Amino acid sequence: MAGMLYLPRLFVYHCAAPPGSAQSETFKVMERRLLRAIINPAMVVTWAVGLWLAWEGGWFASGWFHAKFVLVLALSAVHGVLSAHVRAFAEDRNRRSQTFYRVLNEVPTLLMIGIVILVVVKPF
């Protein structure tokens, strides 16, 4: 989660850097390393461990688990969107504003809050 919360913040700062500048190139390296070394492996481990825990706990039939699973799928979709933006910045073809990335930065937080509430409260 830390990586998914930090990457859009890097995008906000990267928007202010002129394409091709030394600062822009530094952001490209930071974004690529964050995605490939931290976010991608963490997502794979999270999915594997999460599915194993759901199997061991017998939660596949629970309503709260279905709702949580939908939110986790949405979080995985956000991961895909972030990956696409890393590629766009790497190719100097970003067309989004700082405001867009500031709003995008809040999406993983909201999904995480929903996921945690469902897991702790198990409302249905």
Side-chain angles (χ1 to χ4, degrees), residues 3 6-7 10 29-39:
Y6 185 53
L7 190 56
L10 286 175
V29 171
M30 292 170 66
E31 292 158 358
R32 185 184 70 246
R33 286 182 181 170
L34 180 61
L35 182 66
R36 291 186 182 165
I38 296 173
I39 300 174

Side-chain angles (χ1 to χ4, degrees), residues 67-88:
K68 175 193 174 256
F69 193 74
V70 168
L71 294 180
V72 170
L73 287 174
L75 193 58
S76 295
V78 170
H79 176 269
V81 168
L82 294 175
S83 297
H85 287 291
V86 167
R87 281 190 298 278

